[in-house]
Structures are given as structure tokens and as C-alpha cells.
Amino acid sequence: MAALVSRETLARLDTIAEQLTRWQKTINLVAPNTLPDLWHRHIADSLQLVSLVPETFLNWADLGSGGGFPGLVVAAVFAEREGAQVTLVESDTRKAAFLREASRAAALPTRIVPERIEQASQRLAAGTQVVSARALAPLPKLLDLTEPFLQAGALGVFPKGRDWERELTDARKGWTLDLNLHRSVADPYGRILAITRAERAAPSAGSLSGGQPSTAGAASARPRTAKGKTP
């Protein structure tokens, strides 16, 4: 399923791609072998998360933002939503500098927090409606890191690769989860976990409630505009 975005959003995504390509020469923001396929592997992979979140949710926190995925991409879409803010938490000072510059260049509604997640999460959790993290940690550890957000009522949106089933099994040993599974447009073996509830449980009491994977098809390598044309 090709992502539909406005021309303005596409222009912001182009700016993000240009900034990342420039900064990648001196900072390892993404795996070098994925750079030629940037639009599919990183931008489309991030863009798909927005469609899983209600449009009324305007306060998004992205943890361990690194090269800006999905945080910068989410912010490119949210720039057209009045009152929206995307908080990017990244402790690496050089990567945080990139996030600031890319946000400035693309005029994104972001707040950059150059701190460790463990230090910032309690302070940032209140009011956050969505929390995301991409390629940050296995699910059990990820639940530990995002617990303040999830306990405050945020929706957790976590892309996972081909090991998603094993990670879920491991997580169920210590957590009770309500979630939905969605197929990834970037990885045919991956899933996106949309967690609506996460509570710590005794190892023998872990349970999982969730839906079946959605049947969304593969995304195009580059988002189309709302008129169905790629500029």
C-alpha cells in the first residue's frame, strides 16, 4: 500500500533525506548498505506507523531516535497538524545535533532531548499519546524503557523484524500485553506491534491478547502525493 502524503510533506521528507545523506558522510546514522534504498528501508518503514495512530493524537515521543527514524518522518507528517509535537530522545550528542539541524531545515515540530531514555522518560511520559522506538532493543527491554509512557496511557508503536515472535514469547514471561499486529511494508517477515496495554506479571501469568496481522500490501519505494503522482 503506497503511502499518500501531501506535496508539502513530501518536500519535508526530501529535506530529511538530503540532510541525512550529507551527515552520513561523517556520522554513522544508518547502516551504509541501506542508504541506496533510503526511501523504502527507512522513510516508508517509518511513514507506515502514522497510519496506525488516530489523527487526534498529536503528542508523540520517539526514543533512541538516532538517524531520525521514525521520529523525523512522523514530524514531517505532523507539521500539518496544528498543535502537534514530536519529542526525539537521543543521548548521542552528534546524532542529537543532526536531529536539530534536520528539524530546522525541514521546519519540523520537534523537541530534541539529548538525554538517556532512563533519565528522561518519567518527565516526558505525562501527556505523551504515542511512544515509538525502532531498532532500539528486544521487546522485553523495550517494555522496561517505555513502561512510564505505557503506564501513563500512551500507545506503543514498535516495528520489529523477523524475530518478532520470539521477542513476544520472551516478553510474555514478564508482561501482560494487549496489542494488535500489523504487517510491515518494508520487511515481509516483520510486524509492527501496536501495544495498548502493558502490565508487569509473574512469569507464569503472562498472557497476550491481540489481533491477526493486517493484510496491507507492500509499500512503494517512495510515497505518492495525495493526487497519486510522484513529483
Side-chain angles (χ1 to χ4, degrees):
M1 177 177 65
L4 295 175
V5 298
S6 70
R7 291 184 181 276
E8 293 78 11
T9 294
L10 188 57
R12 286 187 285 270
L13 293 173
D14 275 326
T15 299
I16 292 169
E18 291 167 3
Q19 288 290 321
L20 184 138
T21 301
R22 183 178 301 115
W23 282 68
Q24 178 74 13
K25 296 175 182 178
T26 55
I27 303 174
N28 188 33
L29 296 169
V30 297
N33 65 338
T34 67
L35 199 58
D37 199 18
L38 176 64
W39 280 92
H40 182 69
R41 289 287 297 274
H42 298 293
I43 295 178
D45 188 43
S46 299
L47 193 60
Q48 66 182 325
L49 304 186
V50 178
S51 65
L52 305 180
V53 174
E55 290 190 9
T56 54
F57 285 16
L58 301 177
N59 196 327
W60 187 307
D62 185 46
L63 309 185
S65 296
F69 305 113
L72 290 181
V73 174
V74 171
V77 177
F78 275 29
E80 297 181 11
R81 301 181 183 181
E82 185 177 355
Q85 182 178 66
V86 181
T87 300
L88 310 180
V89 182
E90 175 53 57
S91 62
D92 185 301
T93 56
R94 295 191 303 165
K95 292 179 180 179
F98 158 73
L99 295 172
R100 288 193 194 92
E101 178 57 22
S103 294
R104 184 204 61 77
L108 304 181
T110 61
R111 170 175 56 163
I112 312 303
V113 179
E115 301 177 32
R116 291 183 58 82
I117 296 168
E118 296 87 345
Q119 296 172 332
S121 59
Q122 290 290 346
R123 185 178 77 255
L124 299 176
T128 295
Q129 296 166 299
V130 186
V131 60
S132 63
R134 180 174 181 260
L136 178 63
L139 186 58
K141 175 62 175 177
L142 189 57
L143 291 171
D144 288 338
L145 292 172
T146 59
E147 183 176 14
F149 297 92
L150 298 172
Q151 290 300 308
L155 169 66
V157 183
F158 307 128
K160 287 294 178 182
R162 63 179 63 226
D163 289 336
W164 66 270
E165 288 184 280
R166 178 182 57 78
E167 291 192 31
L168 265 181
T169 298
D170 291 343
R172 292 174 62 188
K173 296 174 183 177
W175 295 84
T176 298
L177 303 174
D178 288 344
L179 60 83
N180 288 302
L181 297 172
H182 303 271
R183 295 188 185 277
S184 170
V185 302
D187 180 357
Y189 302 103
R191 296 291 185 273
I192 301 167
L193 280 58
I195 298 178
T196 57
R197 183 176 69 96
E199 296 182 0
R200 291 187 181 272
S204 60
S207 62
L208 170 66
S209 299
Q212 296 298 317
S214 66
T215 57
S220 65
R222 196 167 185 262
R224 293 180 294 139
T225 67
K227 293 184 179 180
K229 298 180 181 179
T230 301

